[in-house]
């Protein structure tokens, strides 16, 4: 597994490995990159293509964005509140193979206004469910301003996340990707849960 992590970092000309607890607290969680094995499985399901715009919440050093832009030619906006980690994402962007299709924003997720071009969102437990409430309200507001299908991907979701998502009227559970064996953790959480905001009829 470690070999795969290093191989992809080298191929993408970036450095994204390692956990970072800087400024982490009960609301904003530590940086930990999504394993490349999970991202490969996500890409292979065909959820991303050129023309899609992904919003990566808690993007950290930018791994998700660089990988998906490289593999699918989708455009990616990474949101990061930790200035030190955000600067590492910018440093990676200078050398990244897919830098032209990536953008990084230093902002608190709950305060960021979701661009109407965004039609994909990615979360790897970047913050508490309290912040998720506010973030999802922003996503839904953007959705109503310009109705379009929006897919939301939640890797290794907590029970609190799933409980909230399942009771949000606008969302539909769309499916999941099994990721068991790709990380060390609780088997029931080793998945990507997918929710959808369906395209509204005009």
């Amino acid at each position: 597994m470690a070999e795969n992590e290093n191989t992809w970092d080298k191929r993408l000309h970036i450095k994204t490995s390692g956990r970072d607890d800087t400024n982490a607290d009960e609301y904003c969680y530590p940086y930990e990159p999504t394993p490349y094995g999970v991202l490969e499985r996500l890409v292979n399901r065909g959820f991303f293509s050129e023309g899609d715009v992904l919003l990566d919440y808690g993007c950290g050093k930018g791994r998700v964005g660089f990988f998906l832009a490289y593999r699918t030619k989708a455009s990616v906006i990474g949101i990061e509140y930790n200035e030190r980690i955000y600067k590492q994402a910018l440093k990676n962007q200078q050398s990244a193979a897919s830098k032209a299709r990536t953008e990084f924003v230093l902002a608190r997720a709950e305060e960021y206004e979701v661009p109407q071009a965004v039609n994909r969102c990615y979360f790897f437990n970047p913050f508490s469910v309290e912040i998720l409430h506010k973030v999802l309200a922003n996503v839904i507001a953007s959705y109503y301003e310009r109705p379009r299908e929006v897919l939301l991907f939640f890797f290794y979701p907590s029970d609190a996340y799933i409980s909230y998502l399942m009771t949000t009227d606008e969302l539909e559970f769309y499916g999941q990707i099994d990721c068991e064996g790709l990380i060390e953790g609780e088997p029931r959480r080793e998945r990507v849960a997918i929710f959808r905001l369906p395209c509204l009829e005009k």
Side-chain angles (χ1 to χ4, degrees):
M1 186 176 295
E3 182 179 351
N4 190 48
E5 300 290 290
N6 294 332
T7 298
W8 269 112
D9 259 14
K10 289 179 180 178
R11 184 178 300 177
L12 297 173
H13 307 296
I14 57 177
K15 294 180 180 179
T16 59
S17 298
R19 179 184 170 93
D20 193 317
D21 295 329
T22 307
N23 294 341
D25 56 29
E26 61 182 311
Y27 298 106
C28 298
Y29 301 153
Y31 163 74
E32 188 170 356
T34 301
Y36 280 113
V38 172
L39 296 178
E40 289 175 325
R41 197 161 291 187
L42 182 60
V43 164
N44 291 339
R45 291 289 295 270
F47 289 114
F48 300 90
S49 62
E50 189 173 4
D52 289 329
V53 180
L54 170 73
L55 190 53
D56 178 16
Y57 282 103
C59 68
K61 301 173 186 178
R63 173 182 291 190
V64 171
F66 295 126
F67 181 86
L68 290 178
Y70 178 82
R71 285 287 308 273
T72 71
K73 300 190 185 309
S75 297
V76 182
I77 304 170
I79 306 299
E80 178 57 51
Y81 87 104
N82 184 319
E83 186 172 4
R84 191 173 73 80
I85 297 178
Y86 164 75
K87 288 180 177 178
Q88 292 180 55
L90 293 183
K91 184 177 180 180
N92 278 326
Q93 190 179 33
Q94 293 175 6
S95 59
S98 53
K99 61 183 177 184
R101 292 184 294 277
T102 57
E103 174 187 349
F104 298 98
V105 178
L106 180 63
R108 299 195 68 85
E110 65 272 30
E111 298 172 357
Y112 181 73
E113 185 174 340
V114 179
Q116 293 182 18
V118 168
N119 66 343
R120 303 285 188 269
C121 297
Y122 182 84
F123 305 79
F124 178 14
N125 293 324
F127 34 66
S128 67
V129 72
E130 289 82 6
I131 293 180
L132 178 63
H133 289 193
K134 299 174 183 176
V135 166
L136 195 53
N138 293 339
V139 173
I140 292 171
S142 174
Y143 164 71
Y144 279 125
E145 288 171 2
R146 187 180 76 81
R148 74 274 190 193
E149 182 185 69
V150 180
L151 296 178
L152 300 96
F153 302 88
F154 297 86
F155 173 55
Y156 203 73
S158 66
D159 291 341
Y161 264 42
I162 293 297
S163 295
Y164 173 64
L165 295 167
M166 287 293 194
T167 56
T168 300
D169 291 338
E170 291 86 353
L171 291 178
E172 297 177 351
F173 179 67
Y174 196 64
Q176 66 181 26
I177 300 172
D178 180 22
C179 298
E180 189 172 355
L182 296 179
I183 61 171
E184 293 182 6
E186 302 173 44
R188 63 186 174 81
R189 293 181 64 183
E190 294 175 359
R191 58 177 172 145
V192 177
I194 307 167
F195 288 81
R196 182 173 79 117
L197 287 163
C199 185
L200 298 174
E201 294 183 4
K202 296 184 179 178

